[in-house]
Amino acid sequence: MNSTESTDVLVVGSGFGGAIAAYHLAAGGARVVVLERGPWLEGKDFDHDFKLGSSYTRIFDFVVGDGMSILGGNCVGGGSVVYFAAMPRAPRFVFERKGSIGRRMWPKAVSRDTLEPWYDRVAEALPVTKQDWDEVTYAGGLWAAACAHSGLTANPVPVAVDNDKCTNCNWMMAGCRFDAKRSLLFNYLPAALAHGATIRPMHEVQHLSRNDDGGYRVHYDVIDDEDYRVRVGTGAIDAKVVVLAAGAGATPVILQRSEPALGRMPHAAGRYFSGNGERLNTAVIDEDRAREVLGLDRGDGLAYAANQIGRGPVVANWDRLDGSLPEHSRFSLEQLYFPPGLGTILAQVPGATGPSWFGVDKKEMLSRWQSWLTIFTMSEDDNEGVFGPPPATGNAMRLSQQMLGRGNLRYNPTANTLRGWAESDAAVRDIIERDGLGKVMPWTNDVVGAYTVHPLASCRIGDDPATSALDDGHELRGHPGIFVTDGSAVPSGLTVNPAMTIAALAERAMPGIVQAVRRRGVQVAYGAPAPDGATSGRRGTAPLVPVLARD
């Protein structure tokens, strides 16, 4: 179909940045339309397999770039549907980072202290809870025991999971079939719908143009729900304000493609991309040594052999999240369940003398997949990723019906980034290989380059116009009425899972965005409670609202 319609606010994307914006603006009285490029699925639709054509190929977006590949959500609810629901808050030192520019990257107005009330709002809304030790999985317990054996600490990770509903099936990555994961499908999005917001799946935004009244026209394609390479329609929607939340791998691409129509983009739009310094290490645990060294026994004759039982990250080592350490030497080490089938190519064979991603050695390693333990590193990189030029449509050139694409991200890791990876890899080896507990080999970068499941900073907030595309209110420099609230707005890697910080920053941005909508003649108010009606978090942020609204 070909059409042009109008709304007060157009939100691009339905992950944390988009869902939070849609809820607050709709609850405040604005007409809100959300365009989501992926499908709208729910619990019964999530398959428990990783076959091609299953639900996971529909809800994931895997884009291979030059030196960096990005794995992200592609569905209503965005990354919250496919993430492992780990929700830690960023360490205090993160907000003081200097990185590649040699000076503070974050705006002065944002620190751990000033963000804390907004973290509290998110924790109330989802909600987020801290797990007890009797709730962690076998894999998490093994990792904690190995850390303790090395003289280190370990902590259960705060999560957005209803443990009463969780069956420990470990299929969180493919969407939660049992509705135990507190994704955005159960809080902000249904609350936005209840207040009149409209969500349109399979609508991929291509570019923006400016209208004579100072508003914007958002141009989109309608995507076939089976073959994402096929476009079955086009359209446009006029909006007074646009909130971009398509993800750090797509938002800068939309802006770059919009430059001919909108005019010059800020220099930092599509630059300073961070992969959150991420690495994966696969360990093969020696069952006998796990029993002898750690004293573990499942009671059924096995010490471990339980890689597949449980859920995503449950236990992390945070000893290196120490602000006194030099930058690029700080990282977290988090036990992570990654399906062995997907890790077959990337997981190298410990001690192999030849090619390690296939062959006899790999076959033997795969036969012991129940004794695998995957450790996920989040370190500090140098924000060295650059996007562009944009593809003709979408965020990537689609190579298959679903999921796989070739993008225009260039990532050449600096010596600082490489040092951070090397130090974190060494730390994992020291823990796992101590006293013969297991054997570790980092995943290879030779196949698809480095990879991240937490893309950040490609359109970041900041005080310096030369190095930040957005001001500290998340408004695009030089383009009033366009805001960015997804992971691309986060200025740097966080050394922890970023969902909690992305959501807190989006909550913090809302008073200013509501005020911008009001200035364009829309009768909209700020002050909605949490999606379930709770108000304690709102009381905590109330003193900050007048400054952020910039009345």
Side-chain angles (χ1 to χ4, degrees):
M1 87 181 182
N2 292 283
S3 64
T4 301
E5 54 187 301
S6 65
T7 188
D8 295 329
V9 181
L10 192 290
V11 179
V12 182
S14 58
F16 283 102
I20 289 172
Y23 166 61
H24 281 285
L25 290 161
R31 294 178 300 148
V32 177
V33 174
V34 180
L35 299 185
E36 166 58 53
R37 70 181 178 185
W40 197 338
L41 304 183
E42 53 188 25
K44 63 181 177 58
D45 302 316
F46 298 129
D47 298 311
H48 276 190
D49 65 59
F50 287 106
K51 297 177 181 178
L52 295 178
S54 294
S55 60
Y56 92 99
T57 63
R58 298 181 64 195
I59 60 178
F60 269 115
D61 186 46
F62 185 65
V63 176
V64 179
D66 181 5
M68 173 68 73
S69 297
I70 299 174
L71 182 67
N74 182 57
C75 55
V76 173
S80 76
V81 174
V82 299
Y83 80 148
F84 287 123
M87 298 293 278
R89 306 183 185 201
R92 185 173 299 275
F93 65 79
V94 162
F95 302 94
E96 304 298 327
R97 285 196 59 203
K98 296 182 178 180
S100 60
I101 63 174
R103 57 189 180 280
R104 195 177 192 270
M105 289 187 281
W106 286 72
K108 292 179 180 178
V110 182
S111 67
R112 174 59 188 265
D113 289 336
T114 62
L115 201 57
E116 197 73 13
W118 305 102
Y119 277 133
D120 291 342
R121 286 200 68 143
V122 177
E124 177 183 62
L126 294 180
V128 175
T129 57
K130 184 177 180 180
Q131 301 172 104
D132 294 325
W133 281 110
D134 61 358
E135 294 173 316
V136 305
T137 63
Y138 290 116
L142 173 64
W143 175 238
C147 289
H149 177 68
S150 298
L152 304 173
T153 66
N155 303 272
V157 178
V159 294
V161 175
D162 184 342
N163 283 325
D164 290 336
K165 293 182 178 180
C166 181
T167 65
N168 285 325
C169 70
N170 235 334
W171 285 93
M172 291 179 74
M173 188 173 174
C176 183
R177 189 173 182 86
F178 304 101
D179 294 342
K181 180 163 54 174
R182 291 172 172 137
S183 74
L184 297 167
L185 298 175
F186 300 104
N187 35 74
Y188 286 101
L189 289 176
L193 291 170
H195 286 283
T198 300
I199 301 174
R200 300 181 186 177
M202 309 310 299
H203 282 60
E204 184 177 67
V205 170
Q206 303 302 329
H207 73 279
L208 281 59
S209 60
R210 184 173 285 108
N211 292 330
D212 292 339
D213 63 359
Y216 296 92
R217 179 164 294 179
V218 180
H219 305 261
Y220 63 83
D221 290 345
V222 182
I223 307 300
D224 183 79
D225 62 2
E226 288 191 5
D227 190 340
Y228 295 173
R229 298 168 297 184
V230 176
R231 283 153 174 78
V232 297
T234 62
I237 301 178
D238 290 340
K240 295 176 173 62
V241 166
V242 175
V243 178
L244 287 173
T251 288
V253 179
I254 293 171
L255 290 176
Q256 289 178 337
R257 194 184 294 117
S258 301
E259 192 166 38
L262 291 182
R264 186 178 180 85
M265 285 292 132
H267 172 78
R271 290 180 170 82
Y272 303 110
F273 170 89
S274 168
N276 204 31
E278 294 176 355
R279 295 278 286 164
L280 278 166
N281 285 265
T282 298
V284 182
I285 301 300
D286 184 309
E287 294 287 333
D288 291 335
R289 296 302 290 162
R291 180 181 296 104
E292 295 165 5
V293 174
L294 303 179
L296 299 182
D297 190 340
R298 281 175 48 185
D300 52 6
L302 298 172
Y304 173 46
N307 180 48
Q308 79 282 12
I309 301 173
R311 47 191 179 274
V314 289
V315 173
N317 168 262
W318 290 325
D319 288 14
R320 291 293 292 267
L321 298 185
D322 181 349
S324 68
L325 294 173
E327 196 168 354
H328 302 102
S329 292
R330 302 172 295 207
F331 49 81
S332 60
L333 303 175
E334 187 175 83
Q335 172 270 322
L336 174 76
Y337 176 74
F338 198 85
L342 297 182
T344 296
I345 293 178
L346 297 178
Q348 300 183 80
V349 179
T353 56
S356 61
W357 48 275
F358 70 97
V360 175
D361 291 334
K362 188 57 167 286
K363 184 176 181 180
E364 195 279 333
M365 179 180 174
L366 289 172
S367 71
R368 301 171 60 194
W369 66 272
Q370 289 176 303
S371 296
W372 285 16
L373 182 73
T374 304
I375 305 302
F376 184 48
T377 293
M378 289 164 280
S379 60
E380 295 170 307
D381 64 6
D382 252 343
N383 291 72
E384 49 264 76
V386 178
F387 284 89
T393 60
N395 65 315
M397 181 180 69
R398 292 291 160 193
L399 301 178
S400 62
Q401 281 190 201
Q402 299 166 7
M403 191 171 175
L404 183 61
R406 183 71 170 89
N408 291 352
L409 170 62
R410 303 184 304 280
Y411 189 89
N412 184 21
T414 66
N416 287 331
T417 298
L418 292 172
R419 185 177 75 251
W421 289 349
E423 289 187 15
S424 63
D425 287 348
V428 175
R429 286 195 302 272
D430 181 63
I431 296 169
I432 294 296
E433 296 187 350
R434 184 172 296 218
D435 294 326
L437 177 60
K439 283 288 188 180
V440 178
M441 181 63 75
W443 283 23
T444 177
N445 286 0
D446 296 339
V447 181
V448 293
Y451 29 82
T452 181
V453 295
H454 298 136
L456 302 168
S458 54
C459 194
R460 62 190 186 179
I461 58 174
D463 293 330
D464 182 2
T467 59
S468 58
L470 314 173
D471 63 21
D472 68 359
H474 291 245
E475 192 165 25
L476 185 67
R477 298 184 187 280
H479 301 276
I482 298 178
F483 294 85
V484 176
T485 57
D486 57 20
S488 63
V490 179
S492 69
L494 300 174
T495 67
V496 295
N497 314 73
M500 189 69 168
T501 300
I502 294 169
L505 287 172
E507 282 278 7
R508 176 186 173 276
M510 290 317 303
I513 296 176
V514 167
Q515 184 64 13
V517 177
R518 292 185 64 186
R519 286 195 295 265
R520 286 159 176 78
V522 179
Q523 295 301 308
V524 59
Y526 175 79
D532 67 355
T535 59
S536 62
R538 184 176 66 178
R539 291 195 296 270
T541 57
L544 308 174
V545 171
V547 174
L548 293 169
R550 299 177 181 178
D551 288 328

